[in-house]
């Protein structure tokens, strides 16, 4: 993976570790802050959340123990304050009952005060209890487990995506969002110029082995609504389930590309929901001035396909420059998105070195303006203005409104979706 | 994907509340109960060590009942002292479930019972409160995904060709207790009808995902859905949709038909307990012989024509004993 936003960056050879799946159960205090802390930990570490139990959970002791036994966690993450100590101790008793015979035994990682850790360590016997002073240390420990002790030169994909977001933020001097969709995972990483990062790596949620999970979470109808051609639900479901059965290469047929595009939109949308649930700044992600797309999302045959999936799934809310960087290739600037929500027609003013132009934008407009320069844009009455470089495709004006809603009826929705595909030269043969 | 006869292991996860389980080294047959226990409701926490005035580490010595025992209200659970005794008694009828690090006791009322049956002929290789594992020799076909609880029954060929589908009309109550080879594809209608007729499991090349959702709910995924509840059992061998069975997979079904079999849903495997040489059928399947008799696919032989049970038992000795 090349970590660069420039047109001709040096290519750095990096080995990506084959991370193993890590199942984590989250036990947290009664306060919302405690829940957010453990969910953010799990998302940032790329672990699969298999159980979540709040200290004040209404489940009985036996139900909590059974839930933990069924979850078969590799690691149990505990977080809470001193007033949660009693409830967390009881949950650890449920863990002893539920997972005492599990082999290998789960490890217990605590992000708690020293005094709470001392009390909980006794109750976590016979599991190994490790206390971490900071969230970053705990995330690193979880990632270490995912690497499975393979600590050579190999880096986890998550870390590379975060590095790419940081590099883009530092190059452009603005917030940068990296969006990565692979066969089994979907990642959203927001990096700010001051090096702060909010990262979420959701597993399993992807285009191949995670495709069935996208369907379960989003519903089949929500995946199907993005297809520009009619397909009956059972046939689509069969395709999704068969995708999930094993690794696949890049989509080669038009139908496969369109299916992957539909799945990727919903994967991104659901990743955003999880990110919002974890208390991350979704508004900042949607308004990031620089957006980098990677993984399968960046490997679609046409740049317009990557751009269309991004704007449909992420629903950017401002002016953003979009880059894409496939796994086997260099980064390229593909376009600039100007997202506006309008109630009445407005004017968009585009200023570039060679002059300025003004165009009318009606609500619902969705199309490209072929410009390849550095531009300043401003939309009257909407408060949207920004600067960027429009790249290979040009400037995409998206006035479809937010949140983006699609017509319910096939007869209205399919022509609209087909029109959007055509506008970005993203159409493929079904 | 191919038939293989070798030594396999099968894990059987146990719910909370195990009462008794087979011990390591014990020989079992598929269908035998390897663990039994109680379904428990909300547990009560009872003060133990603190009430007796002993340290938690010494409390185990004072217990009069072992953890996991059924108790009645008022039963003495722990006791110290002779002239001035102090004791802990059960407040309710139920199960002494757990002793905490603090020396407190959890007692839970029993609301129902559960059992777990072996899915493999063989020997118990691991047995604890979470898992009973069996190792044994059998013919095995690895599937893509399985849904529902484990199933044990007689393997019966339900179709007349590797590309054929099992029609719902060919399923009736005479197939109760059997595992049916349902051909290239099973639909929701076949799954529900078979379950209603007492068929313990279905094996098919492909399964309609829409049908799976109808039967098992919208949360079902391609990786399978093993469960313990009362639901149909389906083993999907090739994938989803319609998957005509390869000849190398289908032909052995004919050779093995009539043998005891088990579907282990956690590993998506079909085990068949037979000494038949797969690929060279020694005797034709009863279903193939009776092809012209209506719903034969279904058709088990009449009781009068059936082999005596003793003969069947002799024919199906656990492979590991050979």
């Amino acid at each position: 993976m090349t970590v660069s936003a420039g047109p001709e960056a040096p290519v750095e050879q990096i080995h990506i570790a084959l991370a193993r799946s890590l199942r984590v159960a989250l036990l947290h205090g009664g306060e919302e802050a405690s829940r957010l802390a453990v969910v953010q930990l799990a998302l940032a570490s790329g672990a699969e959340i298999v159980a979540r139990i709040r200290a004040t959970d209404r489940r009985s002791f036996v139900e909590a123990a059974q839930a933990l036994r069924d979850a078969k966690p590799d690691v149990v993450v505990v977080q809470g304050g001193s007033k949660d100590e009693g409830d967390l101790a009881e949950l650890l008793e449920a863990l002893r009952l539920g997972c005492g015979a599990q082999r290998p035994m789960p490890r217990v990682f605590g992000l708690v005060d020293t005094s709470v850790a001392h009390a909980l360590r006794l109750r976590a016997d016979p599991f190994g209890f490790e206390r971490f002073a900071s969230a970053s240390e705990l995330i690193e420990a979880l990632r270490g487990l995912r690497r499975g002790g393979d600590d050579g030169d190999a880096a986890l994909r998550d870390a590379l995506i975060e590095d790419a977001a940081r590099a883009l933020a530092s190059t452009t001097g603005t917030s940068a969002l990296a969006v990565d969709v692979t066969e089994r995972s979907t990642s959203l990483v927001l990096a700010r110029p001051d090096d702060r990062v909010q990262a979420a790596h959701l597993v399993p949620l992807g285009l191949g082995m995670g495709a069935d999970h996208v369907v379960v979470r989003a519903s089949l109808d929500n995946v199907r609504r993005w297809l520009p051609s009619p397909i009956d639900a059972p046939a689509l479901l069969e395709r999704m389930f068969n995708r999930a059965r094993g690794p696949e290469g890049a989509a080669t047929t038009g139908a496969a590309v369109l299916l992957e595009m539909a799945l990727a939109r919903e994967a991104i949308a659901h990743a955003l929901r999880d990110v919002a649930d974890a208390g991350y700044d979704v508004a900042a992600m949607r308004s990031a001035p620089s957006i980098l797309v990677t993984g399968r999302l960046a490997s679609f045959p046409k740049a317009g396909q990557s751009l269309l999936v991004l704007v449909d799934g992420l629903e950017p809310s401002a002016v953003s420059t979009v880059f894409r960087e496939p796994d086997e290739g260099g980064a390229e600037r593909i376009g600039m998105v100007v997202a506006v929500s309008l109630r009445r027609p407005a004017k968009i003013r585009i200023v570039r070195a060679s002059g300025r132009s003004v165009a009318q934008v009606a609500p619902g407009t969705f199309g490209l303006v072929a410009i390849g320069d550095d531009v300043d844009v401003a939309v009257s009455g909407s408060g949207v203005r920004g600067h960027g470089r429009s790249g290979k495709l040009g400037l995409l004006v998206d006035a479809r409104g937010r949140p983006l809603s699609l017509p319910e009826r096939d007869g209205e929705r399919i022509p609209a979706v087909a029109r959007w595909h055509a506008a970005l030269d993203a159409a493929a043969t079904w | 994907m191919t038939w293989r006869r070798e030594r396999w292991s099968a894990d059987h996860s146990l719910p909370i509340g195990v009462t008794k389980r087979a011990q390591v080294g014990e020989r079992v047959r598929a269908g035998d109960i390897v663990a039994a226990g109680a379904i428990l409701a909300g547990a009560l926490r009872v003060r133990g060590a603190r009430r007796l005035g002993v340290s938690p580490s010494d409390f185990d010595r004072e217990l009069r009942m072992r953890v996991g025992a059924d108790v009645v209200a008022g039963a003495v659970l722990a006791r110290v002292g002779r002239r001035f005794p102090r004791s802990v008694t059960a407040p309710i009828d139920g199960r002494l479930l757990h002793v905490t690090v603090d020396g407190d006791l959890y007692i839970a009322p029993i609301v129902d019972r559960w059992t777990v049956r072996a899915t493999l002929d063989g020997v118990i290789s691991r047995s604890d409160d979470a898992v009973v594992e069996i190792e044994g020799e059998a013919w095995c076909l690895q599937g893509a995904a399985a849904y529902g609880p484990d199933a044990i029954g007689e393997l019966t060929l339900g179709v007349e060709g590797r590309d054929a589908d099992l029609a719902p009309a060919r399923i009736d109550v005479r197939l109760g207790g059997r595992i049916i080879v349902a051909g290239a594809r099973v639909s929701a209608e076949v799954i529900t009808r078979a379950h209603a007729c007492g068929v313990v499991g279905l094996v098919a090349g492909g399964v309609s995902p829409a049908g799976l959702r109808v039967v098992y709910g919208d949360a079902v995924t391609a990786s399978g859905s093993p469960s313990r509840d009362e639901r149909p059992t389906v083993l999907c061998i090739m994938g989803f949709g319609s998957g005509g069975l390869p000849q190398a997979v289908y032909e052995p079904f004919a050779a093995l038909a009539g043998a005891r079999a088990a579907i282990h849903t956690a590993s998506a495997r079909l085990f068949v307990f037979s000494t038949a040489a797969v690929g060279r059928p020694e005797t034709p399947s009863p279903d193939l012989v009776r092809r012209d008799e209506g719903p034969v696919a279904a058709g088990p032989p009449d009781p009068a024509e059936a082999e005596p049970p003793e003969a069947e038992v002799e024919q199906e000795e656990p492979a590991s004993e050979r």
Side-chain angles (χ1 to χ4, degrees), chain A residues 152-210:
Chain A
D153 291 336
L156 289 179
R157 184 180 185 88
D158 322 352
L160 292 181
I161 296 162
E162 290 171 20
D163 286 347
R166 277 196 198 96
L168 187 57
S170 103
T171 307
T172 58
T174 60
S175 294
L177 176 72
V179 182
D180 180 72
V181 184
T182 68
E183 284 200 341
R184 195 163 177 271
S185 67
T186 300
S187 300
L188 294 172
V189 179
L190 178 69
R192 300 179 196 270
D194 59 8
D195 217 28
R196 283 181 298 143
V197 167
Q198 290 185 335
H201 309 282
L202 288 102
V203 181
L205 195 71
L207 308 186
M209 284 181 277

Coordinates of all heavy atoms in Angstrom, one line a residue, chain A residues 152-210:
Chain A
G152 N 7.2 -9.7 13.1 CA 8.3 -9.3 12.2 C 8.1 -7.9 11.6 O 7.9 -6.9 12.3
D153 N 8.2 -7.8 10.3 CA 8.0 -6.5 9.7 C 6.6 -6.3 9.3 O 6.2 -5.2 8.7 CB 8.9 -6.4 8.4 CG 10.4 -6.4 8.8 OD1 10.7 -6.0 10.0 OD2 11.2 -6.8 8.0
A154 N 5.8 -7.3 9.5 CA 4.4 -7.2 9.0 C 3.6 -6.3 9.8 O 3.7 -6.2 11.0 CB 3.8 -8.6 9.0
A155 N 2.7 -5.5 9.1 CA 1.8 -4.6 9.8 C 0.4 -5.0 9.5 O 0.1 -5.6 8.5 CB 2.0 -3.2 9.2
L156 N -0.5 -4.7 10.5 CA -1.9 -5.0 10.3 C -2.5 -4.0 9.3 O -2.0 -2.8 9.2 CB -2.7 -4.9 11.6 CG -2.4 -6.0 12.6 CD1 -3.3 -5.7 13.8 CD2 -2.8 -7.3 12.0
R157 N -3.4 -4.4 8.5 CA -4.1 -3.5 7.5 C -4.7 -2.3 8.2 O -4.6 -1.2 7.7 CB -5.2 -4.3 6.8 CG -5.8 -3.5 5.7 CD -6.9 -4.3 5.0 NE -7.4 -3.5 3.9 CZ -6.9 -3.5 2.7 NH1 -5.9 -4.3 2.4 NH2 -7.3 -2.7 1.8
D158 N -5.2 -2.5 9.4 CA -5.8 -1.4 10.2 C -4.8 -0.3 10.4 O -5.1 0.9 10.2 CB -6.3 -1.8 11.6 CG -6.9 -3.2 11.6 OD1 -7.1 -3.8 10.5 OD2 -7.2 -3.7 12.7
A159 N -3.6 -0.7 10.8 CA -2.6 0.3 11.1 C -2.2 1.0 9.8 O -1.9 2.3 9.8 CB -1.4 -0.4 11.7
L160 N -2.1 0.3 8.7 CA -1.8 1.0 7.4 C -2.8 2.0 7.0 O -2.5 3.1 6.5 CB -1.6 -0.1 6.3 CG -0.4 -1.0 6.5 CD1 -0.3 -2.0 5.4 CD2 0.9 -0.2 6.6
I161 N -4.1 1.7 7.2 CA -5.1 2.6 6.8 C -5.1 3.9 7.7 O -5.2 5.0 7.2 CB -6.5 1.9 7.0 CG1 -6.6 0.8 6.0 CG2 -7.6 2.9 6.7 CD1 -7.7 -0.2 6.4
E162 N -4.8 3.6 9.0 CA -4.6 4.8 9.9 C -3.4 5.7 9.5 O -3.5 6.9 9.5 CB -4.5 4.3 11.3 CG -5.8 3.7 11.9 CD -5.6 3.1 13.2 OE1 -4.7 3.3 13.9 OE2 -6.5 2.2 13.6
D163 N -2.3 5.0 9.1 CA -1.2 5.8 8.6 C -1.5 6.6 7.4 O -1.1 7.7 7.2 CB 0.0 4.8 8.3 CG 0.6 4.3 9.6 OD1 0.4 4.8 10.7 OD2 1.4 3.3 9.5
A164 N -2.3 5.9 6.5 CA -2.6 6.6 5.2 C -3.5 7.8 5.6 O -3.3 8.9 5.0 CB -3.4 5.7 4.3
A165 N -4.4 7.7 6.5 CA -5.3 8.9 6.8 C -4.4 10.0 7.5 O -4.6 11.2 7.2 CB -6.4 8.4 7.8
R166 N -3.5 9.6 8.3 CA -2.6 10.6 9.0 C -1.8 11.3 7.9 O -1.6 12.5 8.0 CB -1.7 9.9 10.0 CG -2.3 9.6 11.3 CD -1.2 9.3 12.3 NE -1.8 8.6 13.5 CZ -1.8 7.3 13.6 NH1 -1.3 6.5 12.7 NH2 -2.4 6.8 14.7
A167 N -1.3 10.5 7.0 CA -0.4 11.1 6.0 C -1.2 12.1 5.1 O -0.7 13.2 4.8 CB 0.2 10.0 5.1
L168 N -2.4 11.7 4.8 CA -3.2 12.6 4.0 C -3.6 13.9 4.8 O -3.5 15.0 4.2 CB -4.5 11.9 3.6 CG -5.4 12.6 2.6 CD1 -4.7 13.0 1.3 CD2 -6.6 11.7 2.3
A169 N -3.9 13.7 6.1 CA -4.2 14.9 6.9 C -3.0 15.8 7.0 O -3.1 17.0 6.9 CB -4.7 14.4 8.3
S170 N -1.8 15.2 7.2 CA -0.7 16.1 7.3 C -0.3 16.7 6.0 O 0.2 17.9 6.0 CB 0.5 15.3 8.0 OG 1.4 14.9 7.1
T171 N -0.5 16.0 4.9 CA -0.1 16.6 3.6 C -1.1 17.8 3.2 O -0.6 18.8 2.8 CB -0.3 15.5 2.5 OG1 0.5 14.4 2.9 CG2 0.2 16.0 1.1
T172 N -2.4 17.6 3.5 CA -3.3 18.6 3.1 C -3.6 19.7 4.2 O -4.1 20.7 3.9 CB -4.7 17.9 2.8 OG1 -5.1 17.2 3.9 CG2 -4.6 17.0 1.6
G173 N -3.2 19.3 5.4 CA -3.4 20.3 6.5 C -4.8 20.4 6.9 O -5.2 21.3 7.6
T174 N -5.6 19.4 6.6 CA -7.0 19.4 7.0 C -7.4 18.0 7.5 O -6.6 17.1 7.4 CB -7.9 19.7 5.7 OG1 -7.7 18.6 4.8 CG2 -7.7 21.0 5.1
S175 N -8.6 17.9 8.0 CA -9.1 16.6 8.4 C -9.1 15.7 7.2 O -9.5 16.1 6.1 CB -10.4 16.6 9.0 OG -10.4 17.3 10.2
A176 N -8.8 14.4 7.4 CA -8.9 13.4 6.3 C -9.6 12.2 6.8 O -9.4 11.7 7.9 CB -7.4 13.1 5.8
L177 N -10.4 11.6 5.9 CA -11.1 10.4 6.2 C -10.6 9.3 5.3 O -10.6 9.5 4.1 CB -12.6 10.6 6.1 CG -13.5 9.4 6.3 CD1 -13.5 9.0 7.8 CD2 -14.9 9.6 5.8
A178 N -10.3 8.2 5.8 CA -10.0 7.0 5.0 C -11.1 6.0 5.1 O -11.6 5.7 6.2 CB -8.7 6.3 5.5
V179 N -11.6 5.6 4.0 CA -12.7 4.6 3.9 C -12.2 3.3 3.2 O -11.8 3.4 2.1 CB -13.9 5.2 3.2 CG1 -15.1 4.2 3.2 CG2 -14.4 6.5 3.7
D180 N -12.2 2.2 4.0 CA -11.6 1.0 3.4 C -12.7 -0.1 3.5 O -13.3 -0.3 4.6 CB -10.4 0.6 4.2 CG -9.7 -0.7 3.7 OD1 -9.1 -0.7 2.7 OD2 -9.9 -1.7 4.4
V181 N -12.9 -0.7 2.4 CA -13.9 -1.9 2.4 C -13.2 -3.0 1.8 O -12.7 -3.0 0.6 CB -15.2 -1.5 1.6 CG1 -16.2 -2.7 1.7 CG2 -15.8 -0.3 2.1
T182 N -13.1 -4.1 2.5 CA -12.5 -5.4 2.0 C -13.5 -6.5 2.0 O -14.7 -6.2 2.2 CB -11.3 -5.8 2.9 OG1 -11.8 -6.2 4.2 CG2 -10.3 -4.7 3.1
E183 N -13.0 -7.7 1.8 CA -13.9 -8.8 1.7 C -14.7 -9.0 3.1 O -15.8 -9.4 3.1 CB -13.1 -10.1 1.5 CG -12.7 -10.2 0.0 CD -12.4 -11.7 -0.2 OE1 -12.1 -12.4 0.7 OE2 -12.4 -12.0 -1.4
R184 N -14.0 -8.7 4.2 CA -14.5 -9.1 5.5 C -14.7 -7.9 6.4 O -15.3 -8.0 7.5 CB -13.6 -10.2 6.1 CG -14.3 -10.9 7.2 CD -13.6 -12.2 7.6 NE -14.3 -12.7 8.8 CZ -13.9 -12.5 10.0 NH1 -12.9 -11.7 10.2 NH2 -14.6 -13.0 11.0
S185 N -14.1 -6.8 6.1 CA -14.1 -5.7 7.0 C -14.4 -4.4 6.3 O -14.2 -4.2 5.1 CB -12.7 -5.6 7.7 OG -11.7 -5.2 6.8
T186 N -14.9 -3.4 7.2 CA -15.1 -2.0 6.7 C -14.5 -1.1 7.7 O -14.7 -1.3 8.9 CB -16.6 -1.8 6.6 OG1 -17.2 -2.7 5.6 CG2 -16.9 -0.4 6.1
S187 N -13.7 -0.2 7.3 CA -13.0 0.7 8.2 C -13.3 2.2 7.8 O -13.4 2.5 6.7 CB -11.5 0.5 8.1 OG -11.1 -0.8 8.4
L188 N -13.4 3.0 8.9 CA -13.5 4.4 8.8 C -12.5 5.0 9.7 O -12.6 4.7 10.9 CB -15.0 4.9 9.2 CG -16.1 4.4 8.3 CD1 -17.4 4.8 8.9 CD2 -16.0 5.1 6.9
V189 N -11.6 5.8 9.2 CA -10.6 6.4 10.0 C -10.5 7.9 9.8 O -10.3 8.3 8.6 CB -9.2 5.8 9.7 CG1 -8.1 6.5 10.6 CG2 -9.2 4.3 10.0
L190 N -10.8 8.7 10.8 CA -10.7 10.2 10.7 C -9.5 10.6 11.3 O -9.2 10.4 12.5 CB -12.0 10.8 11.4 CG -12.0 12.3 11.3 CD1 -12.2 12.9 9.9 CD2 -13.0 12.9 12.3
A191 N -8.6 11.3 10.5 CA -7.3 11.8 11.1 C -7.4 13.3 11.0 O -7.9 13.9 10.0 CB -6.2 11.3 10.3
R192 N -6.9 14.0 12.0 CA -6.9 15.4 12.0 C -5.4 15.9 11.9 O -4.5 15.1 12.2 CB -7.5 16.0 13.3 CG -8.9 15.5 13.4 CD -9.5 16.0 14.8 NE -10.7 15.4 15.1 CZ -12.0 15.7 14.8 NH1 -12.1 16.8 14.0 NH2 -13.0 15.1 15.2
P193 N -5.2 17.1 11.5 CA -3.8 17.6 11.3 C -3.0 17.5 12.5 O -1.8 17.4 12.4 CB -4.0 19.0 10.8 CG -5.4 19.1 10.3 CD -6.2 18.1 11.1
D194 N -3.6 17.6 13.7 CA -2.9 17.5 14.9 C -2.6 16.1 15.3 O -2.2 15.8 16.5 CB -3.6 18.2 16.1 CG -5.0 17.7 16.3 OD1 -5.3 16.6 15.7 OD2 -5.7 18.2 17.1
D195 N -2.8 15.1 14.5 CA -2.4 13.7 14.6 C -3.4 12.9 15.5 O -3.2 11.8 15.8 CB -1.0 13.6 15.3 CG -0.3 12.4 14.7 OD1 -0.6 12.0 13.5 OD2 0.5 11.8 15.4
R196 N -4.5 13.6 15.9 CA -5.6 12.8 16.6 C -6.3 11.9 15.5 O -6.5 12.3 14.4 CB -6.6 13.7 17.2 CG -6.1 14.3 18.5 CD -7.1 15.2 19.1 NE -7.5 16.3 18.3 CZ -8.7 16.8 18.1 NH1 -9.7 16.3 18.8 NH2 -8.9 17.8 17.3
V197 N -6.6 10.7 16.0 CA -7.3 9.7 15.0 C -8.5 9.1 15.7 O -8.4 8.8 16.9 CB -6.2 8.6 14.6 CG1 -6.9 7.5 14.0 CG2 -5.2 9.2 13.7
Q198 N -9.5 9.0 15.0 CA -10.7 8.2 15.4 C -10.8 7.1 14.4 O -11.1 7.3 13.2 CB -12.0 9.0 15.4 CG -12.0 10.1 16.5 CD -13.3 10.8 16.6 OE1 -14.1 10.9 15.6 NE2 -13.7 11.3 17.8
A199 N -10.6 5.8 14.9 CA -10.6 4.7 14.0 C -11.7 3.7 14.3 O -11.9 3.4 15.5 CB -9.2 4.0 14.0
A200 N -12.3 3.1 13.3 CA -13.3 2.1 13.5 C -13.1 1.0 12.4 O -13.1 1.4 11.3 CB -14.7 2.6 13.5
H201 N -12.8 -0.2 12.8 CA -12.6 -1.3 11.9 C -13.6 -2.4 12.2 O -13.5 -3.0 13.2 CB -11.2 -1.9 12.0 CG -10.1 -0.8 11.9 ND1 -9.7 -0.2 10.8 CD2 -9.4 -0.2 12.9 CE1 -8.8 0.7 11.0 NE2 -8.6 0.7 12.3
L202 N -14.6 -2.5 11.4 CA -15.8 -3.3 11.7 C -15.6 -4.7 11.0 O -15.4 -4.8 9.8 CB -17.1 -2.7 11.3 CG -17.4 -1.5 12.2 CD1 -17.1 -0.2 11.5 CD2 -18.9 -1.6 12.5
V203 N -15.7 -5.7 11.8 CA -15.6 -7.1 11.3 C -16.8 -7.9 11.9 O -17.0 -7.8 13.1 CB -14.3 -7.7 11.9 CG1 -14.1 -9.1 11.4 CG2 -13.1 -6.9 11.4
P204 N -17.4 -8.8 11.2 CA -17.4 -9.0 9.8 C -18.4 -8.1 9.1 O -19.6 -8.2 9.3 CB -17.7 -10.5 9.7 CG -18.6 -10.7 10.8 CD -18.3 -9.7 11.9
L205 N -17.9 -7.3 8.1 CA -18.8 -6.5 7.4 C -18.1 -6.1 6.1 O -17.2 -5.3 6.1 CB -19.1 -5.2 8.2 CG -20.3 -4.3 7.7 CD1 -21.6 -5.0 8.0 CD2 -20.3 -3.0 8.5
G206 N -18.4 -6.8 5.0 CA -17.6 -6.6 3.8 C -18.3 -7.1 2.6 O -19.5 -7.3 2.6
L207 N -17.5 -7.2 1.5 CA -18.1 -7.6 0.2 C -18.0 -9.0 -0.1 O -18.6 -9.5 -1.1 CB -17.3 -6.8 -0.9 CG -17.2 -5.3 -0.7 CD1 -16.6 -4.6 -1.9 CD2 -18.6 -4.7 -0.4
G208 N -17.2 -9.8 0.6 CA -17.0 -11.2 0.3 C -17.5 -12.0 1.5 O -18.7 -12.3 1.6
M209 N -16.6 -12.4 2.3 CA -17.0 -13.3 3.5 C -17.9 -12.5 4.5 O -18.6 -13.1 5.3 CB -15.8 -13.8 4.2 CG -15.1 -14.9 3.4 SD -13.7 -15.6 4.3 CE -12.4 -14.4 3.8
G210 N -17.9 -11.2 4.4 CA -18.8 -10.4 5.3 C -20.1 -10.0 4.6 O -20.9 -9.2 5.2

